[in-house]
Structures are given as C-alpha cells and as structure tokens.
Amino acid sequence: MSTGTPDILSAEFAADPYGAYAVLREEAPLLWHEGMQSYIVSRYEDVERVFKDQVFTTANYDWQLEPVHGKTILQLSGREHSVRRALVAPAFRGSELEQKFLPVIESNARELIDGFRGRGTADLVEEFATRFPIGVIVDMLGLDKADHARFQKWYTSIIAFLGNLSQDPDVTASGLRTKEEFAEYMIPIVRARRENPGDDLLSTLVTAEIDGETMSDEDVKAFCSLLLAAGGETTDKAIGSLFALLLQHPEQLQAVRDDRTLIPQAFAETLRFAPPVHMIMRQPAEDVEIGGGTVPAGSTLTALIGAANRDERRYKNPDAFDIFRDDLNAKNAFSAAADHMAFALGRHFCVGALLAKSEIEVGVNQLLDALPNLRLADGHTPAEKGVFTRGQAALPVVFDA
C-alpha cells in the first residue's frame, strides 16, 4: 500500500469510498492490496478493458462463487458459455419478459405499496426495496412466497460471502451452509418441475434445449441461486439509491414525477453515481500491462466499478447526480453497449439488466402514483453502507396518505 492511499478494508473507506477512489485514480491506478491478495484498477478505461478484453477470465469465480452457488454461467467460456446463456436469456428480454413477467412485477409492487400507502409513512428500503425484487423472482420461478424470509436470508448470506474481502471465517461458514440448505430446498423442486412443467421460469429452464443440450438439475439450481442473489441485491440497492438521490434533488424528483419517460434516465444515472455493486474480480490468463504496471497471469484483479463511474476523464462533473447529463446514454444503459459499468460489459454483461429496468420502471411509477408529496422523514439524512455492494440501509419517508 502506498502512503496516502486509503485502505479498502478500513472504516474510513467504508464511510466514503468516493474520496478514496479519487486518490486511487490519480495516485495509484494499479495497486497491489496485500490483505485482499489482489491487484486493483480504478480508472474508467482500465475497468472497461477488464470487462471487455477476453484475456481477463472469470476463473476467480471457481473460489469466489462456486462454493456458495455451485458452478454458474459466469464461470463458463466459449461454446459452453454461449449455449448456457442462450438457454436462459430469452426469459429476460422481449416478449417473454413483457407478456409473462410484467404482470408479476406489477402485482408484486402493488401488493407491497398497499401495505403502507394509507399510512403516510414508510421505510422504502425495509418495506419495499428489500422485498420487491425477491418477490418478483420467487413468483417468476413459481416458488412458494411463504418461503420469502428464507430466500432473503440465503441471498444476504451469499452476498456477504462474495464481499468477504477480509476473509471473516463466520461469513465463510454461513455462505457454505447456505449452499447446502438451498440445494436441499431446490433440487427436489427442479426434479418435480421436470416431471410436471408449468408456465413459470423454472419450467422454462428445465425444458430449454439448444442443439440437444439441456441444463442439468445442478445447472438450474446454481442459476436460481445466482438469480436470487444478483437479482435481489442489486435491484434492492438500486431502488433505495434512486429514491434517496431524487429526494435529495427535489427538482429532479419533480421532473420525473411530471414526465415518467425520464425514469430510465434517472435509473441510468443512479447506476453510474451510486452503483449497487462497487467491485468485480477477474483473473488474467497471461501477464497483462494495465494501469501503468503489470498484472501477472493467474492473479486476482479487482475492477472498481464505483471508481470508474466517477472518473473525471470520462464524465463531466462526475460527483454530481444529474439525470439530464449529456455524457451518459440512457438508451444504451441496459445493454452491453452501456457507458457505465454497473452491469459489467462484454460477454458477461448482466443477463437480468432488462428485468431490472422493468422492475425499476414499474416500482417507481407505482410509488410516485401512490405517494403524493413524497419527502424524507424529518431528521433523516440518506447514507450509503457497504463496500463490495453498497446502498441505503434505511429510507424513512413521509407522504400524503
């Protein structure tokens, strides 16, 4: 660690990573971190390259993801990856998403909002954001919503395992337990759905076939585990951050309230300004020159999304939240051509990006309709928490019941 460079594992960093990111971009664009046993890059052009250049592999997921999920699509490459992605991707885009799952998204949002719309107060994180995406995924898969608390516990444990930068043994043990518990729960359901497929996403996954290839029970279980963790944690954090930022910028909140076509712009700028996932790891297959130095083959390389998204070399006034900025393309923000890093880029671009966009559009529209004169509760100042993933711990609001 160079002197003056804030340590990612420190309390100071957790309190304000953005100031630390600025120092890293300027003084240590390539940094070796002993505690994490990882090289770190922070500039936009370097993070973009890590996601797009195929020399940076996902071999690190063998130890980072597989112990809690099983082998997932993120670890695959070549034809194996393209076939698996082609098996799952249709459910997350186009007519399948709109016709089959949009009603699921709408009913989940409505049900949650009905729980507090008449009260005049709510915590949008606790009562909406943390519940909404998990409810949608559980319904999409055709699982039992009575098990919601278990799903939430599992995905929280998985995310903690992935973000266990200091290698806390209790966090590791909890993550490994979760894998066993989820497998015991899920594998019998997968097998039953093979015998009697229905009209849900799980049935689509177990019956999907390309060139004679199908997904095994273990493949399907691992994908469902990944979907719960990635789809739950990220959309949850994005909703909380989006409302926290709009409520702190009342003129932008009013603009979105008046013109709902601005919701994708507001979501894209939230993903840039306060991404739910702040870092993603990769492993180079050969020695690579990047960030002014060399990263040896087989090393872990941490790409700081949160730093790249605030890089003054890429964005004007990057520390300002501005849904009207002209250097962020909202039309491409939910595709592999995105010019922010929140969904990663390249062949491992987030398969659920359009699902997240649909959830945000439905959720924001319904909340704005149901909560007139929405404002922060007296005395509450929004504050982010987290290092690997980051978002609002709470968002108490008041509105006209």
Side-chain angles (χ1 to χ4, degrees), residues 69 125 129-135 137 151-163 224-241 267 271 274-278 342-343 350 356 359-360 385-393:
H69 285 310
V125 168
T130 57
R131 299 168 185 271
F132 176 45
I134 288 296
I137 291 166
F151 293 124
Q152 189 135 15
K153 172 177 161 283
W154 285 334
Y155 98 68
T156 302
S157 168
I158 289 168
I159 292 296
F161 183 96
L162 301 183
C224 291
S225 177
L226 182 65
L227 181 62
L228 279 166
E233 176 80 357
T234 53
T235 307
D236 159 0
K237 298 261 189 301
I239 292 169
S241 294
F267 184 27
L271 291 172
V277 178
H278 271 236
F343 291 128
C350 176
E359 289 175 323
I360 292 289
K385 285 202 164 79
V387 176
F388 182 78
T389 61
R390 190 168 174 86
Q392 301 293 314

Side-chain angles (χ1 to χ4, degrees), residues 193-223:
R193 213 61 60 92
R194 282 196 196 280
E195 294 295 318
N196 294 291
D199 193 34
D200 51 71
L201 176 59
L202 189 53
S203 298
T204 300
L205 295 174
V206 298
T207 56
E209 183 179 322
I210 290 179
D211 297 337
E213 290 197 34
T214 58
M215 294 173 74
S216 69
D217 293 351
E218 179 62 29
D219 285 339
V220 174
K221 185 273 297 178
F223 182 77

Side-chain angles (χ1 to χ4, degrees), residues 309-339:
N309 278 355
R310 297 278 192 107
D311 192 341
E312 51 285 324
R313 295 163 192 79
R314 173 62 183 79
Y315 302 105
K316 290 177 288 195
N317 200 9
D319 292 321
F321 177 76
D322 179 10
I323 67 172
F324 299 107
R325 65 170 52 248
D326 59 12
D327 51 6
L328 183 69
N329 187 335
K331 287 190 174 69
N332 292 340
F334 313 100
S335 75
D339 47 15

Side-chain angles (χ1 to χ4, degrees), residues 91 94-112 132 135-137 139-140 145 199 355 358-359 362-363 366:
S95 59
E96 180 117 1
L97 178 61
E98 285 183 20
Q99 292 167 21
K100 192 182 283 189
F101 299 126
L102 202 55
V104 172
I105 296 170
E106 289 169 343
S107 64
N108 270 276
R110 192 162 48 247
E111 187 180 316
L112 288 170
F132 176 45
V136 169
I137 291 166
D139 275 355
M140 285 175 70
K145 286 188 89 162
D199 193 34
L355 172 63
S358 296
E359 289 175 323
V362 168
Q366 288 200 23

Side-chain angles (χ1 to χ4, degrees), residues 247 253-254 257 368 370-376 398-400:
L247 286 162
L253 173 61
Q254 191 58 49
R257 193 184 274 287
L368 291 178
L371 313 180
N373 196 21
L374 179 67
R375 57 213 184 270
L376 289 168
V398 293
F399 48 88
D400 296 345

